[in-house]
Amino acid sequence: FEKSLRGSNLTEKEIDFKNLNAKEFVNQGFPNKKDENWKFSDLNQIIKKEIGELKFYYEDSEKNDVSKDLFLDQIKHNKLFFVNGQLEQIDFSYEDKNKIEFLDNQNDIDAKSAENSLINLNNALVNKSFKLLIKNNYQIKNPLVIYHTTNNKINLQNINFKINFVLEENSCLKVIDLIGDEGNKNFVNVVYNFSLEKNSILKNYKIDQSENNNIRYMYNNIK
């Protein structure tokens, strides 16, 4: 964790925020059956049993291949393609580029940590976060498919990434999260923050299409 901070180009405020969340995660640990929301799925024990000791995956400087075998060719769609938590392809060719914005390194910094330890983990370790803005009165013409993939280069890793979505008034967004893993025994921690303004419409579908032995946590925070 400290090595990742030294190698980053963060402001003092961002470093303080990450340190705060790291401390909170260390205090709480992975959710276990003492937490009412996790009493039937003790994540701490599941990770110990199914994975073992996790390492923190730091973003690779090399580009990863995008497997077109995963593409949903049956429908026209926009694309965000992630490999090992790293964004490798962006395609909004079906949309009016003046009506949407996609930005990277758009961190949301709060003065306090979250009650959910997995959000603390994400805040502390995420390398880069993204923001998608849908402007007033614009309805996305075709669904946005977000491809979540891991390749066979990684195993026993903790991967964290975050996307902040802002839907302004009278806007509409359809998101399909499509998961296809080749990596082995990883814990993937995904946080989505949705901000919906008046009369905006969000539809979000999550499809895990293949059997694998990774553990994936996907948290939707909707305001």
Side-chain angles (χ1 to χ4, degrees):
F1 171 65
E2 291 174 352
K3 183 180 179 181
S4 71
L5 289 184
R6 289 196 298 270
S8 63
N9 188 26
L10 298 172
T11 65
E12 186 175 340
K13 187 176 181 180
E14 289 171 328
I15 290 174
D16 289 344
F17 178 68
K18 284 184 173 290
N19 277 316
L20 172 66
N21 280 272
K23 182 178 179 181
E24 282 300 311
F25 177 75
V26 169
N27 290 337
Q28 297 179 53
F30 285 105
N32 58 53
K33 60 185 177 183
K34 293 180 182 178
D35 186 328
E36 181 68 20
N37 293 323
W38 293 86
K39 64 181 180 179
F40 298 117
S41 52
D42 187 326
L43 184 61
N44 188 50
Q45 288 301 316
I46 292 170
I47 288 176
K48 284 182 178 178
K49 181 180 177 182
E50 302 295 334
I51 296 179
E53 185 175 348
L54 281 168
K55 299 175 184 177
F56 165 48
Y57 180 77
Y58 195 74
E59 186 175 288
D60 195 341
S61 58
E62 294 183 5
K63 287 286 186 180
N64 295 297
D65 293 334
V66 172
S67 176
K68 294 184 179 181
D69 293 340
L70 293 174
F71 285 174
L72 282 179
D73 294 329
Q74 302 92 331
I75 60 171
K76 293 180 179 179
H77 63 282
N78 304 292
K79 302 179 186 71
L80 293 177
F81 202 104
F82 288 89
V83 183
N84 302 339
Q86 186 169 322
L87 182 60
E88 300 293 356
Q89 183 173 329
I90 308 169
D91 182 1
F92 286 96
S93 55
Y94 294 106
E95 305 304 326
D96 183 343
K97 300 299 195 317
N98 295 317
K99 299 295 184 180
I100 63 173
E101 289 183 8
F102 184 75
L103 308 166
D104 64 8
N105 259 357
Q106 297 300 301
N107 291 314
D108 52 325
I109 298 176
D110 201 330
K112 59 183 180 180
S113 59
E115 293 182 5
N116 183 331
S117 67
L118 295 177
I119 297 178
N120 294 142
L121 177 67
N122 188 287
N123 286 337
L125 296 182
V126 68
N127 294 317
K128 183 182 288 187
S129 61
F130 305 90
K131 178 180 177 181
L132 176 62
L133 170 66
I134 312 299
K135 297 183 180 180
N136 284 331
N137 304 310
Y138 187 69
Q139 301 193 3
I140 289 282
K141 297 182 177 67
N142 290 283
L144 168 61
V145 178
I146 303 179
Y147 294 91
H148 300 260
T149 70
T150 55
N151 59 30
N152 55 18
K153 295 179 182 178
I154 65 166
N155 61 81
L156 307 178
Q157 301 280 347
N158 169 219
I159 299 169
N160 300 274
F161 70 95
K162 179 190 301 182
I163 306 178
N164 300 313
F165 300 83
V166 178
L167 278 67
E168 293 186 342
E169 289 191 13
N170 304 308
S171 63
C172 178
L173 174 65
K174 298 174 184 176
V175 180
I176 300 172
D177 290 297
L178 189 64
I179 300 162
D181 283 320
E182 293 182 6
N184 189 40
K185 291 189 175 183
N186 300 291
F187 174 60
V188 185
N189 185 16
V190 181
V191 171
Y192 284 173
N193 292 310
F194 292 100
S195 177
L196 309 180
E197 297 188 12
K198 185 177 179 181
N199 295 326
S200 60
I201 298 172
L202 167 70
K203 296 185 178 182
N204 184 203
Y205 307 89
K206 300 183 186 296
I207 304 170
D208 195 342
Q209 61 182 358
S210 60
E211 192 171 324
N212 61 77
N213 56 8
N214 293 303
I215 299 172
R216 185 178 299 270
Y217 178 71
M218 302 186 76
Y219 181 82
N220 281 14
N221 176 38
I222 304 175
K223 295 182 180 180

